[in-house]
């Protein structure tokens, strides 16, 4: 199986432009669609809208593939488009940030029925609910760092902010998460 993490940065610009756009976008969608959807969902907090945003992201990738400069990984470029598209949606529609994560996890729940599996999944759900209640500047850093496994420099590049700002927000986001999660557990 191909490793799509940095595809097509493995190609030089001439090869990229000579390659079939449809094949490249198809490969990128196969490799990144779930993460793009989850990143969009972390902003818009609605399944249908997150799907629309993800679709719009890949349409933009297709239209602007020739503008990809290769200065950063293709993953960072796609995440930047996802973040911008999500923020544009929120600005245009003045979307309210309410969430019901129970439905989000229906597709991800394991078919195992053991009590331990249920408790682990319940704890994960509580953790994600807590993450989604954080201010966006901390939430986006935590999502990119932990769920998308991006490095500090990649996050800084994706969000167009200083790497030290990413580190600060990561520490503060973790602290806020610990405080809020501790409070959720104590209820």
């Amino acid at each position: 199986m191909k490793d799509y993490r940095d595809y097509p940065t493995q190609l030089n610009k001439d090869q990229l432009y000579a390659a079939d756009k449809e094949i490249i976008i198809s490969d990128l969608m196969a490799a990144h669609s779930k993460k793009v959807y989850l990143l969009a969902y972390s902003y818009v907090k609605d399944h249908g809208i997150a799907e629309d945003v993800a679709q719009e992201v890949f349409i933009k990738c297709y239209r602007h593939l020739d503008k990809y400069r290769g200065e950063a990984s293709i993953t960072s470029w796609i995440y930047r488009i996802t973040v911008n598209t999500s923020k544009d949606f929120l600005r245009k529609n003045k979307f309210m940030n309410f969430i019901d994560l129970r439905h989000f996890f229906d597709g991800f729940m394991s078919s195992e029925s053991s009590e331990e599996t249920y408790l682990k999944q319940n704890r994960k759900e509580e953790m994600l609910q807590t993450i989604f209640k954080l201010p966006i500047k901390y939430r986006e850093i935590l999502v990119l760092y932990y769920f998308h496994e991006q490095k500090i420099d990649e996050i800084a590049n994706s969000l167009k902010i200083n790497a030290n700002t990413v580190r600060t927000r990561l520490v503060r986001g973790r602290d806020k998460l610990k405080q809020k999660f501790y409070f959720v557990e104590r209820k």
Side-chain angles (χ1 to χ4, degrees):
M1 184 172 177
K2 286 184 179 177
D3 180 15
Y4 291 103
R5 277 178 59 142
D6 291 324
Y7 179 82
T9 57
Q10 298 163 352
L11 303 172
N12 67 39
K13 290 177 91 172
D14 294 333
Q15 290 172 316
L16 174 64
Y17 299 138
D20 188 8
K21 256 176 131 172
E22 286 82 11
I23 293 172
I24 291 173
I25 294 300
S26 177
D27 289 347
L28 291 174
M29 287 176 67
H32 299 287
S33 61
K34 185 175 180 180
K35 289 185 176 185
V36 165
Y37 167 80
L38 291 173
L39 182 57
Y41 183 83
S42 75
Y43 280 87
V44 300
K45 297 182 178 68
D46 181 274
H47 302 291
I49 295 170
E51 289 174 0
D52 292 343
V53 168
Q55 186 175 26
E56 182 66 25
V57 165
F58 288 109
I59 290 170
K60 287 179 179 182
C61 288
Y62 180 80
R63 287 184 186 151
H64 303 290
L65 189 60
D66 58 331
K67 293 180 183 173
Y68 173 68
R69 295 186 305 255
E71 295 170 359
S73 72
I74 195 75
T75 302
S76 294
W77 183 67
I78 292 171
Y79 287 166
R80 182 77 235 151
I81 292 171
T82 305
V83 168
N84 288 340
T85 304
S86 299
K87 286 181 177 180
D88 288 347
F89 174 82
L90 292 172
R91 266 192 301 272
K92 288 178 186 173
N93 295 297
K94 296 182 180 150
F95 187 76
M96 299 302 292
N97 291 323
F98 296 110
I99 187 166
D100 181 7
L101 281 176
R102 285 174 278 156
H103 301 294
F104 178 73
F105 285 99
D106 287 346
F108 296 110
M109 297 275 300
S110 166
S111 62
E112 298 174 17
S113 60
S114 72
E115 184 177 339
E116 185 176 301
T117 303
Y118 173 76
L119 291 174
K120 284 181 183 178
Q121 189 62 37
N122 192 29
R123 186 169 171 88
K124 286 180 186 177
E125 183 175 335
E126 288 175 4
M127 179 66 81
L128 278 174
Q129 285 176 340
T130 307
I131 288 172
F132 286 132
K133 289 178 184 175
L134 291 174
I136 189 73
K137 67 182 183 179
Y138 302 122
R139 183 174 62 226
E140 66 187 358
I141 302 291
L142 291 169
V143 167
L144 288 171
Y145 188 80
Y146 288 107
F147 295 98
H148 295 272
E149 300 174 351
Q150 284 198 328
K151 297 175 183 164
I152 301 289
D153 293 335
E154 292 173 327
I155 296 170
N157 189 31
S158 293
L159 299 178
K160 302 274 190 230
I161 58 176
N162 188 300
N164 288 331
T165 304
V166 172
R167 287 183 190 92
T168 301
R169 289 181 183 176
L170 185 60
V171 169
R172 290 180 183 168
R174 283 182 194 142
D175 290 343
K176 288 184 177 292
L177 187 61
K178 286 176 190 174
Q179 291 169 357
K180 289 185 177 198
F181 195 70
Y182 180 76
F183 181 71
V184 168
E185 286 182 338
R186 290 289 184 190
K187 282 185 180 179

